[in-house]
Amino acid sequence: MGKRDKKTGKGRLDKYYHLAKEQGYRARSAFKLIQINKKYNFLEKSRVLIDLCAAPGGWLQVAKKYMPTQSLIIGVDLVPIKPIPGIITLQDDITTDKCRANLRAELKHWKADVILHDGAPNVGVAWIQDAYSQCELTLMALKLSVGFLTQGGIFVTKVFRSADYNNLLWVFNQLFKSVEATKPASSRTVSAEIFVICRDFIAPKKIDPKLLDPRAVFKELNAGPSLSAMEFIDSEDPIKLLGDVNQITFDNEEAIKLCQHKCTNEDIKASCEDIKVLGKREFKDLLKWRKKIREWQDVEPEDEDKAIQEELDRLVQEAKAKTKKLRRKANEKRQKSVVRMQLNMVTPAEIGIESNQTGELMFDLKEVDGTEANKLRKGKGEVVLDEKELDNDDIVIGEGEDENAEDVEDVDSETAALEAEFDALDESGSDNFDELEADIDDLYEEYKERRAERDAKYAALKRRAEKMEGLSEDDAADGMEIDSISKDNDAETSDSDVSDEQEKMVEQDQEQSESGDAKNNTLKRKAEEMDESSDDTEDDDIEIVPKADESEEEMWDANASDEDEEKMKKAQTYGLTTAEAITLAQQLVNRQKTTASLIDDGFNRYAFNDRADLPSWFLDDETKHNKPNLPVTKEAIQVLRERMKALNARPIKKIAEAKARKKMRAVKKLAKLQKKTEAVAEGKDMTEREKAEVIAKMVNKAAKTKKRQVKVVVARGPNRGNKGRPKGVKGRYKMVDARMKKEVRALKRAEKHGKKSKKQKR
Ligand SMILES: C[S@@+](CC[C@H](N)C(=O)[O-])C[C@H]1O[C@@H](n2cnc3c(N)ncnc32)[C@H](O)[C@@H]1O
């Protein structure tokens, strides 16, 4: 696992890469296991786990996190695995008996509930071509696993879609009750890898050795029929040849010369090594390589090729006209969407974690061999792939399904298909490159005009798109990939239709922006994707994640805008409630800060946290503790204190209610008195003086407050030792001791006596 270029191929930094870094996983592949486990929920229930081919240890970290504490976890790999506390690591080749013995020694009498296998044979750059070795390694992993897996256990393995894939599935089905293939969202769309989840291990007492023997399981062990590179170059019908052979060899002098040509790069050599599992891009590359070599050898172009060239020119013109029309329509739709967004009728879509992309990614030569082959011209001619083919894989944007945005999407996908046609033509060296470039420039101008019309909210969304674009030039392809996954997920979630539309707009703009910024970017991107694909089909998770780097950018959460709105409403209703907010407000009022600088400050390292795929407890924790330290002034604290004091000064609810009741009683009493006094005043039986006296008496009486009588209850009989209200007593009461009552009486008596005796003395 050497050091990789982070900007190309598998080293591309995508959101899972950043997330892995953030969460301390050693490899982005950790998310594959997280997502698989989310779907099948097996880690939480398992106590013993073996991870075959575990380096650098991303899956082990996930297993440790999700499995119950004290679980037995063992990781094996050819290369040493940096120790993880609580996990046993072995350095072994999983195909050897030594590995089996070492595992036995560690497990003793235990059996594994889960065996994971994410192995990829280390064969350098020729990953896709080594699909056979991958399948063989998987079979070896299974062979090892059957000896350690408990009945009902689970075997999770990575498999590359290839000619041997179905044979492998057949074997799995013989040993497990349930076999399912899945492709987690974090597995790159362009990668041929998928994961097979084999559940309910039957644990047969005897297993036919043929079932686990690669020679018996896979159709072809040998390289199969081969073809000399010179034959391929000179052939009139290269497509047929590619369909017939498994290998192109460089075994004679002329072929060796070809091998040294600068066009014959490692990818081409790798493709030649195993023709039967070529991806679409490898296939195209191989034909392009053939064309270049033929040019180099100065082979005269066939007449047929000239005719094709003319036909292509005509097609390009037609396609251009059509694209213009479609673009206009798409623009109208986009405008409508912008208006809808401005009216808050749409919300930003979230990036999902589950992918529904399980579509075929491998390119079957046999399919091409027949009718398809006619579309690929021989000799020096161009490679013409039809629209459908290109749509399938190359055009990532426009793949999404969104019912609400159906029209827009239709137009867009058509546009994308046409652009794909352009790409195909240009990639193959067409002279229409300049025209296309001009076209793309037009698109970019239109885009800039529209962008200026947009409101702040849209601008924020745009910024997010640009952020993704800005990660690096090559990351643009990654961003698109992520978007396509997100779109697929959105299609699954029916209630996010409107959001899809918005997402799509951002994607479209991103696409256009890219095309404007880097002129012939669409073409470049295709080329990059093609380049990358060969790398991607290898196991893309062996990116070792370096330690977190503060300068790394994070994702911006579009939902945050909703939170802001809520906060704004709250502030308008209750005022500013935090010292930080008051400080900022004061700084704004005192012109110590400008709005622009405030917005600038808002884009700190906390502003782009990608919340997707994070557990809720973690998010809760983050919201509580992971906050930027904003400045707080003494004055702000003082303001808050005053506010709290004012709050404290207010009586508590019960007292306030009692006071209100008292007031109400007084008002009622007054009204009653008023009525009575009026009746007296209006009476004719009394003189004015008498009336005044009566009224004065009434007022005095009303002014007298009745003294509340306190009932004295002697604590005897049933009341003795009774702590609560004595039975049958209403209103205020006082519990007294029986003796106390006697004593009081005695005192009174004594007093009386005292007075009497004094009188007698006199
Ligand atoms: C994709 S990496 C595994 C990544 C791992 N799942 C993780 O999350 O960190 C594939 C690993 O397979 C290992 N490998 C390939 N062939 C092997 C073999 N025969 N025995 C043991 N390990 C092997 C390689 O050394 C490599 O580390």
Side-chain angles (χ1 to χ4, degrees):
M1 276 177 284
K3 212 177 169 195
R4 279 157 197 278
D5 180 3
K6 281 186 193 171
K7 297 203 168 186
T8 55
K10 292 194 343 79
R12 287 174 304 162
L13 312 179
D14 67 357
K15 73 166 179 169
Y16 290 106
Y17 173 88
H18 292 292
L19 210 55
K21 250 174 49 159
E22 254 175 44
Q23 300 190 10
Y25 288 121
R26 294 178 179 184
R28 71 182 284 292
S29 62
F31 289 99
K32 294 178 192 170
L33 184 59
I34 291 175
Q35 284 159 3
I36 292 171
N37 184 53
K38 199 164 184 181
K39 197 167 172 188
Y40 296 96
N41 284 316
F42 52 88
L43 289 180
E44 292 81 356
K45 298 175 213 152
S46 309
R47 306 283 315 196
V48 183
L49 177 141
I50 304 174
D51 185 1
L52 303 174
C53 305
W59 281 26
L60 289 176
Q61 286 176 304
V62 175
K64 175 88 189 138
K65 185 171 163 189
Y66 287 87
M67 285 173 70
T69 42
Q70 305 297 324
S71 296
L72 177 59
I73 303 172
I74 305 176
V76 190
D77 201 287
L78 275 177
V79 296
I81 303 166
K82 214 170 122 199
I84 303 172
I87 291 180
I88 299 167
T89 53
L90 304 173
Q91 188 181 352
D92 268 318
D93 181 344
I94 62 159
T95 60
T96 60
D97 286 339
K98 185 176 154 250
C99 175
R100 187 184 301 273
N102 286 343
L103 273 175
R104 175 62 53 227
E106 293 295 346
L107 279 170
K108 298 187 175 77
H109 59 280
W110 288 82
K111 288 237 166 190
D113 302 310
V114 179
I115 298 188
L116 308 175
H117 172 246
D118 186 27
N122 290 337
V123 290
V125 289
W127 290 95
I128 181 75
Q129 287 73 19
D130 219 65
Y132 172 76
S133 318
Q134 166 68 36
C135 288
E136 196 184 17
L137 187 64
T138 305
L139 195 67
M140 290 294 102
L142 178 67
K143 192 174 175 181
L144 183 66
S145 301
V146 291
F148 293 106
L149 201 56
T150 184
Q151 187 168 7
I154 296 177
F155 178 62
V156 178
T157 183
K158 174 166 73 190
V159 183
F160 281 169
R161 297 296 303 267
S162 69
D164 303 310
Y165 169 72
N166 286 327
N167 301 25
L168 261 182
L169 277 197
W170 183 83
V171 175
F172 293 148
N173 273 308
Q174 305 311 304
L175 297 168
F176 294 86
K177 283 188 193 157
S178 152
V179 176
E180 267 178 54
T182 185
K183 187 165 175 75
S186 48
S187 170
R188 293 185 202 280
T189 332
V190 287
S191 164
E193 73 172 14
I194 54 164
F195 290 84
V196 181
I197 320 304
C198 309
R199 285 179 293 176
D200 255 331
F201 179 51
I202 298 166
K205 282 197 179 125
K206 233 183 150 192
I207 298 176
D208 183 351
K210 273 192 191 164
L211 205 59
L212 300 167
D213 181 358
R215 277 169 303 189
V217 173
F218 304 125
K219 281 180 245 157
E220 300 156 43
L221 242 192
N222 305 317
S226 65
L227 167 79
S228 159
M230 278 321 294
E231 278 179 73
F232 174 61
I233 300 293
D234 295 338
S235 163
E236 294 296 303
D237 197 350
I239 309 303
K240 187 175 178 306
L241 285 182
L242 288 180
D244 290 345
V245 299
N246 285 354
Q247 218 182 9
I248 292 178
T249 54
F250 296 88
D251 47 9
N252 54 36
E253 221 173 274
E254 272 180 307
I256 289 168
K257 261 191 214 162
L258 292 186
C259 203
Q260 286 155 359
H261 188 270
K262 66 174 187 324
C263 290
T264 318
N265 58 27
E266 287 306 311
D267 287 344
I268 294 292
K269 283 182 204 165
S271 297
C272 289
E273 269 174 37
D274 203 346
I275 297 294
K276 68 178 188 296
V277 287
L278 283 187
K280 195 189 321 177
R281 295 202 175 92
E282 287 79 30
F283 182 78
K284 279 162 79 180
D285 280 349
L286 206 58
L287 288 174
K288 276 203 263 175
W289 169 74
R290 176 178 171 274
K291 184 185 156 227
K292 281 179 193 157
I293 296 289
R294 279 175 74 95
E295 276 169 0
W296 176 59
Q297 289 181 333
D298 208 14
V299 178
E300 279 300 307
E302 293 101 340
D303 287 348
E304 198 186 344
D305 292 341
K306 281 179 192 160
I308 291 167
Q309 188 58 50
E310 278 167 22
E311 177 66 9
L312 285 177
D313 291 346
R314 193 185 60 75
L315 275 174
V316 168
Q317 291 304 332
E318 262 180 35
K320 233 177 95 180
K322 206 173 162 190
T323 317
K324 242 181 191 169
K325 201 174 148 196
L326 291 171
R327 201 189 306 136
R328 206 187 56 241
K329 274 189 192 172
N331 284 344
E332 281 168 16
K333 293 275 175 192
R334 278 192 207 115
Q335 288 290 2
K336 273 187 199 166
S337 309
V338 170
V339 173
R340 289 180 69 193
M341 194 170 67
Q342 283 169 340
L343 292 171
N344 282 340
M345 287 164 73
V346 289
T347 52
E350 278 183 340
I351 292 179
I353 60 153
E354 271 289 281
S355 167
N356 63 353
Q357 281 185 316
T358 49
E360 293 270 324
L361 290 162
M362 291 299 292
F363 179 74
D364 193 345
L365 268 182
K366 295 215 168 85
E367 280 172 28
V368 182
D369 209 354
T371 51
E372 309 269 346
N374 298 332
K375 293 174 201 156
L376 292 154
R377 305 297 176 212
K378 52 196 172 181
K380 260 184 138 184
E382 313 298 343
V383 180
V384 185
L385 292 176
D386 72 17
E387 206 173 293
K388 224 165 99 196
E389 264 182 300
L390 287 162
D391 247 344
N392 226 2
D393 197 15
D394 293 357
I395 316 296
V396 182
I397 288 179
E399 265 182 5
E401 289 164 28
D402 182 347
E403 281 164 26
N404 277 3
E406 219 174 86
D407 294 348
V408 182
E409 202 210 359
D410 282 347
V411 174
D412 285 350
S413 59
E414 265 187 78
T415 315
L418 284 166
E419 280 172 8
E421 259 183 43
F422 287 157
D423 292 345
L425 298 172
D426 275 80
E427 276 170 10
S428 54
S430 166
D431 290 333
N432 297 300
F433 187 85
D434 290 343
E435 282 173 44
L436 277 174
E437 203 172 53
D439 225 344
I440 290 164
D441 283 348
D442 286 352
L443 260 175
Y444 184 55
E445 286 308 314
E446 270 178 44
Y447 156 71
K448 280 209 287 198
E449 274 168 32
R450 278 203 316 279
R451 190 173 60 171
E453 288 163 18
R454 294 198 178 143
D455 66 351
K457 197 167 179 183
Y458 185 73
L461 271 171
K462 174 76 188 63
R463 235 175 283 132
R464 174 185 162 202
E466 280 172 356
K467 192 132 217 84
M468 287 166 74
E469 178 192 343
L471 285 176
S472 77
E473 214 179 282
D474 300 79
D475 284 352
D478 263 8
M480 282 160 59
E481 193 185 301
I482 292 166
D483 288 342
S484 82
I485 293 168
S486 131
K487 278 168 98 185
D488 286 342
N489 291 329
D490 289 344
E492 272 181 359
T493 330
S494 59
D495 58 358
S496 62
D497 291 338
V498 191
S499 311
D500 282 356
E501 210 172 295
Q502 210 172 10
E503 279 283 323
K504 197 178 294 182
M505 276 163 40
V506 175
E507 282 162 19
Q508 283 161 352
D509 283 350
Q510 187 190 354
E511 186 189 15
Q512 287 178 6
S513 158
E514 283 166 14
S515 61
D517 288 336
K519 300 259 169 131
N520 54 351
N521 193 15
T522 316
L523 303 172
K524 266 191 186 171
R525 198 169 54 225
K526 301 287 169 228
E528 278 164 18
E529 277 187 22
M530 286 169 71
D531 287 342
E532 286 160 8
S533 76
S534 61
D535 269 6
D536 279 312
T537 43
E538 72 182 64
D539 181 56
D540 48 335
D541 24 57
I542 344 170
E543 293 158 14
I544 305 273
V545 179
K547 269 193 162 181
D549 176 353
E550 292 212 345
S551 68
E552 287 296 340
E553 293 182 86
E554 292 164 314
M555 307 282 286
W556 177 66
D557 184 3
N559 290 332
S561 56
D562 289 346
E563 280 172 28
D564 287 348
E565 270 171 33
E566 265 174 39
K567 278 181 191 163
M568 179 72 92
K569 268 187 202 161
K570 209 173 152 190
Q572 278 165 356
T573 325
Y574 303 108
L576 299 174
T577 49
T578 61
E580 288 88 350
I582 294 172
T583 307
L584 286 179
Q586 282 173 341
Q587 283 172 338
L588 273 176
V589 171
N590 299 337
R591 295 185 185 274
Q592 289 162 334
K593 264 195 186 258
T594 61
T595 323
S597 69
L598 265 189
I599 293 170
D600 263 4
D601 293 349
F603 286 85
N604 49 41
R605 73 191 184 97
Y606 303 95
F608 301 104
N609 284 342
D610 181 9
R611 291 162 169 233
D613 205 32
L614 291 173
S616 57
W617 61 263
F618 180 76
L619 286 176
D620 289 347
D621 239 34
E622 286 284 281
T623 329
K624 258 193 226 160
H625 308 298
N626 194 5
K627 287 178 184 166
N629 249 339
L630 293 176
V632 174
T633 57
K634 271 185 191 169
E635 290 78 22
I637 300 276
Q638 193 55 35
V639 169
L640 275 186
R641 270 200 195 133
E642 295 295 330
R643 217 182 275 171
M644 287 312 290
K645 264 188 201 167
L647 262 179
N648 284 339
R650 274 162 55 186
I652 59 168
K653 196 179 162 198
K654 266 190 174 176
I655 294 175
E657 280 173 357
K659 278 185 179 172
R661 275 198 303 272
K662 200 173 172 185
K663 202 172 168 184
M664 202 172 70
R665 275 200 300 270
V667 170
K668 272 185 188 169
K669 213 172 168 183
L670 195 66
K672 215 169 154 186
L673 180 69
Q674 217 169 354
K675 239 181 179 177
K676 279 183 184 171
T677 51
E678 272 170 13
V680 172
E682 281 164 16
K684 289 170 185 168
D685 329 338
M686 288 187 268
T687 62
E688 289 304 307
R689 191 189 169 125
E690 281 169 343
K691 279 181 189 173
E693 278 173 5
V694 172
I695 289 172
K697 263 187 195 171
M698 285 165 91
V699 173
N700 282 343
K701 197 181 165 193
K704 269 185 195 165
T705 44
K706 265 188 204 167
K707 244 195 174 180
R708 286 207 178 167
Q709 294 236 322
V710 180
K711 190 166 185 185
V712 177
V713 182
V714 183
R716 72 173 153 222
N719 292 334
R720 176 177 284 172
N722 184 6
K723 277 188 181 166
R725 178 180 284 276
K727 258 191 183 173
V729 178
K730 282 182 184 171
R732 292 190 167 193
Y733 69 93
K734 190 179 176 192
M735 239 2 181
V736 293
D737 193 303
R739 217 174 90 195
M740 201 167 107
K741 206 174 177 183
K742 265 186 192 167
E743 280 172 1
V744 172
R745 278 185 187 156
L747 271 176
K748 278 183 183 169
R749 256 200 320 271
E751 215 176 307
K752 242 184 176 177
H753 263 289
K755 279 180 188 171
K756 272 186 188 171
S757 54
K758 268 184 193 172
K759 275 181 189 173
Q760 279 168 1
K761 275 180 190 171
R762 272 184 219 158

